[in-house]
Amino acid sequence: MIENTVIKIGRWAIDIRNGVKDFSLFIKSIVTSFKSLRYIRFRSLYTIIINQTRFTGVDALSIVIIIALLLGATVIIQALTSLPKFGVEGFLGNLLVIIIARELGPLATTLIVIARSGSAIATEISVQKWSKEILAMELMGIDTKLFIVFPRIIASILSIMGLIIIFDVVAFIGGYLIALTVIYIPMDTFGQTLIDSFTFKDITAALAKSILFGIAVPLICCYYGFKPNSKFEIPIFVSKAVIRTLFVAIIVNIAISTIFYLI
Amino acid sequence: MLEELILEVKNVKYTRDGVTLLNNISFSLKKGEAMVIFGTEDSGISHLFDVIIRGDVSFEGDVLYKGSSIKELDYFSLMEYKEEIGYLHGDYGLISNLSVEQNISLPLEYHSSLSGAEIKNYVNKLIFDLNLDHCKKLRPFQLSRSEILKTAFARSIANEPDLLYLEHAFENQCYLNIITIFDILKKRIARKDKSLIIVTYRPENFIDIANRFIMFFNGRIVFEGSKDEFLYSQNPYLIQYKTNNPEGPMVIL
């Protein structure tokens, strides 16, 4: 029994080590492929960046706005009902900034992007690999690592950055409108409280998160997209792509919050 | 003369997982020459792709392209080498989210120094030559088999490659529907500076195009000759292949 458990843990550790090594090699190949940038015409990447930004950013706007409204409202309702009990209702703005701008906005936005675009990236690449589209590109002398991964990273950074800003703004406005149904707070007071609560650190932390999420989401999803060697492996690796990107996103979120607010 | 050669395969032995797939293969291709390589399913003709096109250098011997060994190519030179060779395989590999004209212009958009307008004009000419006008805005899933082949073919010649390598590209196609491709191939060969390799199970379909024929069996070359030799040789391997006879020097599983 104990022996079996030790063997299982050992195998698990070896799998993790091999996975990390393989992912490092993938990143190395991406970095190497960046050198091809000087050989290619940027116009061939431009269309992909535009299309990916439209799919990841613009097309996700409606769902981001709805979720931002709902989450913003939930936070405000909880704040309005709980803060007076502790006599700290004056800290409503601080609470909104802490919960929505610092944590909920970046994380919820990234989770939406992972669910929509991360899974789409992994599926698209796996299907392209299976139908030998990627092989065809390689045989045209196209650096597929650069051609496929690089535009998605750029599009993802731009989209996540934009969506986080929109999420925060909508959550604040939505929260304010919901709050109005319970208690009257003048608009200028509400706005001033929010502005006073924002610090430069909050903005840089949100920026760092959007850049790191923007790199991590397409990178991990592309990595798993390139993995399947047969058709039946496609759903297995797409599922892995989504779950592991979610996991990494939460870890990155904690790491950045720790670096910016704890250390 | 070495300078006339575009491709030289020298004593290539290619082994994978302990199995010898190509054994002591040597042949060369001159500029303006059209060669048909044929053989049975496990004869090794498909593994020439790994050695000549894919850039797998784990073989013994050497492959020279325009006099330079492909074993010495670095990461970027290998990309440039692939850019110079037009390749079309039987799976076609059209990019599914791009239209016919976007698929054809992809290698030009990526590599060429032509302007956007020049690429558009050039691609439109290719589309016209291959009778693809009616479907140039369609995506691959909306195309017929011959339209898919024509699009992939147009893409493979878009960069004006000096060597065109067609691997099982015409199998399962109605030859009447793709007659335009044969016309283009004949014109290319007539130019004397463009070479062609066709890997196929049906060499007799390319008698009007090719001037050399090579037959593989068991990873070795068992017949090599001109069009006349292909038609009239008494080589027992060739006769067995042409007559589809299970009896002969080749043991077919």
Side-chain angles (χ1 to χ4, degrees), chain B residues 104-156:
Chain B
I104 298 171
S105 54
L106 178 63
L108 295 166
E109 296 272 355
Y110 189 89
H111 294 295
S112 132
S113 55
L114 296 174
S115 70
E118 285 169 329
I119 290 176
K120 199 174 166 62
N121 286 338
Y122 178 65
V123 168
N124 278 338
K125 187 188 172 302
L126 277 175
I127 285 174
F128 178 78
D129 289 347
L130 286 158
N131 293 335
L132 287 169
D133 261 320
H134 61 286
C135 59
K136 66 179 185 180
K137 298 285 179 199
L138 301 184
R139 291 188 175 184
F141 76 93
Q142 297 166 299
L143 303 175
S144 68
R145 285 192 66 79
S146 64
E147 287 163 350
I148 290 172
L149 169 63
K150 285 176 189 174
T151 307
F153 177 75
R155 189 178 65 180
S156 69

Coordinates of all heavy atoms in Angstrom, one line a residue, chain B residues 104-156:
Chain B
I104 N -3.6 30.9 -51.5 CA -2.5 31.0 -52.6 C -1.5 32.1 -52.3 O -0.3 32.0 -52.5 CB -3.2 31.2 -54.0 CG1 -4.1 30.0 -54.3 CG2 -2.1 31.4 -55.1 CD1 -5.0 30.2 -55.5
S105 N -2.1 33.2 -51.7 CA -1.2 34.3 -51.5 C -0.4 34.2 -50.2 O 0.6 35.0 -50.0 CB -1.9 35.7 -51.5 OG -3.0 35.6 -50.6
L106 N -0.7 33.2 -49.4 CA 0.0 33.1 -48.1 C 1.5 33.0 -48.2 O 2.2 33.8 -47.5 CB -0.5 31.9 -47.3 CG 0.1 31.6 -46.0 CD1 -0.1 32.7 -45.0 CD2 -0.4 30.2 -45.4
P107 N 2.1 32.2 -49.0 CA 3.6 32.1 -49.1 C 4.2 33.5 -49.6 O 5.3 33.9 -49.2 CB 3.9 31.0 -50.1 CG 2.7 30.7 -50.8 CD 1.5 31.1 -49.9
L108 N 3.4 34.1 -50.5 CA 3.9 35.4 -51.0 C 3.8 36.5 -50.0 O 4.7 37.3 -49.8 CB 3.1 35.8 -52.2 CG 3.2 34.9 -53.5 CD1 2.1 35.2 -54.5 CD2 4.5 35.1 -54.1
E109 N 2.7 36.5 -49.2 CA 2.6 37.5 -48.1 C 3.7 37.3 -47.1 O 4.2 38.3 -46.5 CB 1.2 37.3 -47.4 CG 0.0 37.5 -48.2 CD -0.5 38.9 -48.2 OE1 0.1 39.7 -47.5 OE2 -1.4 39.3 -49.0
Y110 N 4.1 36.1 -46.9 CA 5.1 35.8 -45.8 C 6.5 36.1 -46.3 O 7.3 36.6 -45.6 CB 4.9 34.3 -45.4 CG 5.8 33.9 -44.2 CD1 5.3 34.1 -42.9 CD2 7.1 33.4 -44.4 CE1 6.0 33.7 -41.8 CE2 7.8 33.1 -43.3 CZ 7.3 33.2 -42.0 OH 8.0 32.9 -40.9
H111 N 6.8 35.7 -47.6 CA 8.2 35.7 -48.0 C 8.5 36.9 -49.0 O 9.6 37.4 -49.0 CB 8.5 34.4 -48.8 CG 8.5 33.2 -47.9 ND1 9.4 33.0 -46.9 CD2 7.8 32.1 -48.0 CE1 9.2 31.8 -46.4 NE2 8.2 31.2 -47.0
S112 N 7.5 37.1 -49.9 CA 7.9 37.9 -51.1 C 8.0 39.4 -50.8 O 7.4 39.9 -49.9 CB 6.9 37.7 -52.2 OG 6.5 38.8 -52.7
S113 N 8.8 40.1 -51.6 CA 9.0 41.5 -51.4 C 8.0 42.3 -52.3 O 8.0 43.5 -52.4 CB 10.4 42.0 -51.8 OG 10.7 41.5 -53.1
L114 N 7.1 41.5 -53.0 CA 6.1 42.2 -53.8 C 5.1 43.0 -53.0 O 4.9 42.6 -51.8 CB 5.3 41.1 -54.6 CG 6.0 40.2 -55.6 CD1 5.1 39.2 -56.1 CD2 6.5 41.1 -56.8
S115 N 4.5 44.0 -53.6 CA 3.6 44.8 -52.8 C 2.2 44.1 -52.8 O 2.0 43.1 -53.5 CB 3.4 46.2 -53.5 OG 2.7 46.0 -54.7
G116 N 1.3 44.5 -51.9 CA 0.0 43.9 -51.8 C -0.7 43.8 -53.1 O -1.3 42.8 -53.5
A117 N -0.6 44.9 -53.9 CA -1.3 45.0 -55.2 C -0.7 44.0 -56.2 O -1.4 43.3 -57.0 CB -1.3 46.4 -55.8
E118 N 0.6 43.9 -56.2 CA 1.3 43.0 -57.1 C 1.0 41.5 -56.8 O 0.8 40.7 -57.7 CB 2.8 43.2 -57.0 CG 3.3 44.5 -57.7 CD 4.8 44.8 -57.4 OE1 5.2 44.5 -56.2 OE2 5.4 45.4 -58.2
I119 N 0.9 41.2 -55.5 CA 0.6 39.9 -55.1 C -0.9 39.6 -55.5 O -1.1 38.5 -56.1 CB 0.7 39.7 -53.5 CG1 2.1 39.8 -53.1 CG2 0.0 38.4 -53.0 CD1 2.3 39.8 -51.6
K120 N -1.8 40.5 -55.4 CA -3.2 40.3 -55.8 C -3.2 40.0 -57.3 O -3.9 39.1 -57.7 CB -4.0 41.5 -55.4 CG -5.5 41.3 -55.4 CD -6.2 42.5 -54.9 CE -7.6 42.5 -55.1 NZ -8.4 41.5 -54.4
N121 N -2.5 40.8 -58.1 CA -2.5 40.6 -59.5 C -2.0 39.2 -59.9 O -2.5 38.5 -60.7 CB -1.7 41.7 -60.2 CG -2.4 43.0 -60.2 OD1 -3.7 43.0 -60.1 ND2 -1.7 44.1 -60.4
Y122 N -0.9 38.9 -59.3 CA -0.2 37.6 -59.6 C -1.1 36.4 -59.2 O -1.3 35.5 -60.0 CB 1.1 37.6 -58.8 CG 1.9 36.3 -59.0 CD1 2.4 35.9 -60.3 CD2 2.1 35.4 -58.0 CE1 3.0 34.7 -60.5 CE2 2.8 34.2 -58.2 CZ 3.2 33.9 -59.4 OH 3.9 32.7 -59.6
V123 N -1.7 36.5 -58.0 CA -2.6 35.5 -57.5 C -3.8 35.3 -58.4 O -4.2 34.2 -58.8 CB -3.0 35.7 -56.0 CG1 -4.1 34.8 -55.6 CG2 -1.8 35.5 -55.1
N124 N -4.3 36.5 -58.9 CA -5.5 36.5 -59.8 C -5.2 35.8 -61.1 O -6.0 35.1 -61.7 CB -6.0 37.9 -60.0 CG -6.9 38.4 -58.9 OD1 -7.5 37.6 -58.2 ND2 -7.0 39.7 -58.8
K125 N -3.9 35.9 -61.5 CA -3.5 35.3 -62.8 C -3.5 33.8 -62.6 O -3.9 33.0 -63.4 CB -2.1 35.8 -63.2 CG -1.7 35.3 -64.6 CD -0.3 35.7 -64.9 CE 0.2 35.0 -66.2 NZ 0.1 33.5 -66.1
L126 N -2.9 33.4 -61.4 CA -2.8 31.9 -61.1 C -4.3 31.3 -61.1 O -4.5 30.3 -61.6 CB -2.1 31.7 -59.8 CG -0.6 31.6 -59.8 CD1 -0.1 31.5 -58.4 CD2 -0.1 30.5 -60.6
I127 N -5.1 32.1 -60.4 CA -6.5 31.7 -60.2 C -7.2 31.5 -61.6 O -7.9 30.5 -61.9 CB -7.3 32.7 -59.3 CG1 -6.9 32.4 -57.9 CG2 -8.8 32.5 -59.5 CD1 -7.4 33.4 -56.9
F128 N -6.9 32.5 -62.5 CA -7.5 32.4 -63.8 C -6.9 31.2 -64.6 O -7.7 30.5 -65.2 CB -7.2 33.7 -64.6 CG -7.7 33.8 -66.0 CD1 -9.0 34.0 -66.3 CD2 -6.8 33.5 -67.1 CE1 -9.5 34.0 -67.6 CE2 -7.3 33.5 -68.4 CZ -8.6 33.7 -68.6
D129 N -5.6 31.0 -64.5 CA -5.0 29.9 -65.3 C -5.5 28.6 -64.8 O -5.6 27.6 -65.6 CB -3.4 29.9 -65.0 CG -2.8 31.1 -65.8 OD1 -3.4 31.7 -66.6 OD2 -1.6 31.4 -65.5
L130 N -5.9 28.5 -63.6 CA -6.4 27.2 -63.0 C -7.9 27.1 -63.0 O -8.4 26.2 -62.4 CB -5.8 26.9 -61.6 CG -4.3 26.6 -61.7 CD1 -3.6 26.9 -60.3 CD2 -4.1 25.1 -62.0
N131 N -8.6 28.0 -63.6 CA -10.1 28.0 -63.6 C -10.6 28.0 -62.2 O -11.5 27.2 -61.9 CB -10.6 26.8 -64.4 CG -10.3 26.9 -65.8 OD1 -10.1 28.0 -66.4 ND2 -10.2 25.8 -66.5
L132 N -10.1 28.8 -61.3 CA -10.6 28.9 -60.0 C -11.4 30.2 -59.7 O -11.7 30.5 -58.5 CB -9.5 28.8 -59.0 CG -8.8 27.4 -58.8 CD1 -7.5 27.5 -58.0 CD2 -9.7 26.4 -58.2
D133 N -11.6 31.0 -60.7 CA -12.3 32.3 -60.5 C -13.6 32.2 -59.8 O -13.9 33.0 -58.9 CB -12.6 32.9 -61.9 CG -11.5 33.9 -62.3 OD1 -11.1 34.6 -61.3 OD2 -11.1 33.9 -63.4
H134 N -14.4 31.2 -60.1 CA -15.7 31.0 -59.5 C -15.7 30.7 -58.0 O -16.7 30.9 -57.3 CB -16.5 29.9 -60.2 CG -15.9 28.6 -60.1 ND1 -14.7 28.2 -60.8 CD2 -16.2 27.5 -59.3 CE1 -14.4 27.0 -60.4 NE2 -15.2 26.6 -59.5
C135 N -14.5 30.3 -57.5 CA -14.5 29.9 -56.1 C -13.4 30.6 -55.3 O -13.0 30.1 -54.2 CB -14.4 28.4 -56.0 SG -12.9 27.7 -56.7
K136 N -12.9 31.7 -55.8 CA -11.7 32.3 -55.2 C -12.0 32.9 -53.8 O -11.1 33.0 -53.0 CB -11.1 33.3 -56.1 CG -11.8 34.6 -56.3 CD -11.0 35.5 -57.2 CE -11.7 36.8 -57.4 NZ -10.9 37.7 -58.3
K137 N -13.3 33.1 -53.5 CA -13.6 33.7 -52.2 C -14.1 32.6 -51.2 O -14.4 32.8 -50.1 CB -14.8 34.7 -52.3 CG -14.5 35.9 -53.1 CD -13.5 36.9 -52.4 CE -13.2 38.1 -53.3 NZ -12.0 38.8 -52.8
L138 N -14.1 31.3 -51.7 CA -14.6 30.2 -50.9 C -13.5 29.7 -50.0 O -12.4 29.8 -50.3 CB -15.2 29.1 -51.8 CG -16.4 29.5 -52.7 CD1 -16.9 28.2 -53.4 CD2 -17.5 30.1 -51.9
R139 N -14.0 29.0 -48.9 CA -13.0 28.3 -48.1 C -12.9 26.9 -48.4 O -13.8 26.3 -49.1 CB -13.4 28.5 -46.6 CG -13.3 29.9 -46.2 CD -13.5 30.1 -44.7 NE -13.3 31.5 -44.3 CZ -13.3 31.9 -43.1 NH1 -13.6 31.0 -42.1 NH2 -13.1 33.1 -42.8
P140 N -11.8 26.2 -48.0 CA -11.6 24.8 -48.5 C -12.8 23.9 -48.3 O -13.0 23.0 -49.1 CB -10.4 24.4 -47.6 CG -9.6 25.6 -47.4 CD -10.7 26.7 -47.2
F141 N -13.5 24.0 -47.2 CA -14.6 23.0 -47.0 C -15.7 23.2 -48.0 O -16.6 22.3 -48.1 CB -15.2 23.2 -45.5 CG -16.1 24.3 -45.3 CD1 -17.4 24.2 -45.4 CD2 -15.5 25.6 -44.9 CE1 -18.3 25.3 -45.2 CE2 -16.4 26.7 -44.7 CZ -17.7 26.5 -44.9
Q142 N -15.7 24.3 -48.7 CA -16.8 24.5 -49.7 C -16.3 24.1 -51.1 O -17.1 24.2 -52.1 CB -17.1 26.0 -49.8 CG -17.7 26.5 -48.5 CD -17.8 28.1 -48.4 OE1 -16.7 28.7 -48.5 NE2 -18.9 28.6 -48.3
L143 N -15.1 23.5 -51.2 CA -14.6 23.2 -52.5 C -14.7 21.7 -52.9 O -14.8 20.9 -52.0 CB -13.1 23.6 -52.6 CG -12.7 25.0 -52.2 CD1 -11.2 25.2 -52.2 CD2 -13.3 26.0 -53.2
S144 N -14.7 21.5 -54.2 CA -14.6 20.1 -54.7 C -13.2 19.6 -54.6 O -12.3 20.4 -54.4 CB -15.1 20.0 -56.1 OG -14.2 20.6 -57.0
R145 N -13.0 18.3 -54.8 CA -11.6 17.7 -54.7 C -10.7 18.4 -55.7 O -9.5 18.7 -55.3 CB -11.7 16.2 -55.0 CG -12.3 15.4 -53.9 CD -12.0 13.9 -54.1 NE -10.6 13.6 -54.1 CZ -9.9 13.4 -52.9 NH1 -10.5 13.6 -51.8 NH2 -8.6 13.1 -53.0
S146 N -11.1 18.5 -56.9 CA -10.2 19.1 -57.9 C -9.9 20.6 -57.6 O -8.8 21.0 -57.8 CB -10.8 19.0 -59.3 OG -12.0 19.7 -59.4
E147 N -10.9 21.3 -57.0 CA -10.6 22.7 -56.7 C -9.6 22.8 -55.5 O -8.8 23.7 -55.5 CB -12.0 23.4 -56.3 CG -12.8 23.7 -57.5 CD -14.3 23.9 -57.1 OE1 -14.7 23.8 -55.9 OE2 -15.1 24.3 -58.0
I148 N -9.8 21.8 -54.6 CA -8.8 21.8 -53.5 C -7.4 21.6 -54.0 O -6.4 22.2 -53.7 CB -9.2 20.7 -52.4 CG1 -10.4 21.1 -51.7 CG2 -8.0 20.4 -51.5 CD1 -11.0 20.1 -50.8
L149 N -7.3 20.6 -54.9 CA -6.0 20.3 -55.5 C -5.4 21.5 -56.3 O -4.2 21.8 -56.1 CB -6.1 19.1 -56.4 CG -4.9 18.8 -57.3 CD1 -3.7 18.4 -56.5 CD2 -5.1 17.6 -58.3
K150 N -6.3 22.1 -57.1 CA -5.8 23.2 -57.9 C -5.3 24.4 -57.0 O -4.3 25.0 -57.2 CB -6.9 23.8 -58.8 CG -7.2 22.9 -60.0 CD -8.4 23.4 -60.7 CE -8.9 22.5 -61.8 NZ -10.1 23.0 -62.4
T151 N -6.1 24.6 -55.9 CA -5.7 25.7 -54.9 C -4.3 25.3 -54.3 O -3.4 26.2 -54.2 CB -6.7 25.9 -53.8 OG1 -8.0 26.0 -54.4 CG2 -6.4 27.0 -52.9
A152 N -4.2 24.1 -53.8 CA -2.9 23.7 -53.2 C -1.8 23.7 -54.2 O -0.6 24.1 -53.9 CB -3.1 22.3 -52.6
F153 N -2.1 23.4 -55.5 CA -1.1 23.4 -56.5 C -0.6 24.9 -56.8 O 0.6 25.2 -56.9 CB -1.6 22.8 -57.8 CG -0.7 22.8 -58.9 CD1 0.4 22.0 -59.0 CD2 -0.8 23.7 -60.0 CE1 1.3 22.0 -60.1 CE2 0.0 23.8 -61.0 CZ 1.1 22.9 -61.1
A154 N -1.6 25.8 -56.9 CA -1.3 27.2 -57.1 C -0.4 27.7 -56.0 O 0.5 28.5 -56.2 CB -2.6 28.0 -57.2
R155 N -0.8 27.3 -54.8 CA 0.0 27.8 -53.6 C 1.5 27.2 -53.7 O 2.4 27.9 -53.4 CB -0.6 27.3 -52.3 CG 0.0 27.8 -51.1 CD -0.8 27.4 -49.8 NE -0.6 25.9 -49.6 CZ -1.2 25.2 -48.6 NH1 -1.9 25.9 -47.8 NH2 -1.0 24.0 -48.5
S156 N 1.6 26.0 -54.2 CA 3.0 25.4 -54.2 C 3.8 26.0 -55.3 O 5.1 26.0 -55.2 CB 2.9 23.9 -54.4 OG 2.4 23.6 -55.7

